[in-house]
Amino acid sequence: AIQRTFSIIKPDATARNLTGKINAKIEDAGLRIIAQKRIHMTKEQAEGFYGVHRERPFFNDLVSFMISGPVVVQVLEGEDAIAKYREVMGATNPENAEPGTIRKEFAESIEANSVHGSDAPETAAQEIPFFFSDDEIVG
Ligand code: CMP
């Protein structure tokens, strides 16, 4: 089925001018970028967005990293978009990512791993409206 997923190009990737190269991998996989904006997250936004990880030992570092520079937030649409984008991203830890994936080619570490993508339809349904209003999404 046609799905939508939420994506973030993280500060390590914007710092290295990789937005276009990452977008090319997204589009080459058949996903359409139907919303996109470059923002600098506030601490409150990052804490809210990653709220499910609040009790994890890496939470504070993760929030600091996500507000360390600009990010590009996106909505991607396509056939099985959630699973497809997870394939395109590769494993969370770039050491475990398959060749050709965004994280294998570009990520620096498990924290500075260049991109985020929703892990399930319920997550996408929460994450998309966290950053986008309906009129900003043009399918
Ligand atoms: P992301 O998909 O954005 O969701 C949570 C993020 O936490 C994850 O990608 C990683 O970048 C980051 N992170 C940092 N340390 C860890 C860890 N030990 N395990 C899982 N995620 C981690």
Side-chain angles (χ1 to χ4, degrees), residues 3-6 82-83 86 116-128:
Q3 288 179 329
R4 290 180 176 181
T5 192
F6 176 73
I82 293 166
R86 293 183 75 77
H116 165 84
S118 306
D119 62 5
E122 306 74 53
T123 325
Q126 291 179 335
E127 292 180 347
I128 291 169

Side-chain angles (χ1 to χ4, degrees), residues 10 50 53 56 58 62 92 103 110-111 113 115-117:
K10 295 188 181 184
Y50 280 120
H53 296 306
R56 304 261 216 131
F58 57 82
L62 173 61
T92 303
R103 284 166 171 161
I110 194 168
E111 177 176 271
N113 66 353
V115 282
H116 165 84

Side-chain angles (χ1 to χ4, degrees), residues 74-118:
Q74 305 173 309
V75 180
L76 312 181
E77 186 176 77
E79 189 66 32
D80 280 327
I82 293 166
K84 185 173 286 178
Y85 189 44
R86 293 183 75 77
E87 270 181 44
V88 172
M89 289 193 295
T92 303
N93 185 343
E95 287 178 20
N96 303 326
E98 295 295 327
T101 61
I102 292 169
R103 284 166 171 161
K104 183 67 176 190
E105 288 197 14
F106 303 128
E108 299 180 307
S109 67
I110 194 168
E111 177 176 271
N113 66 353
S114 301
V115 282
H116 165 84
S118 306

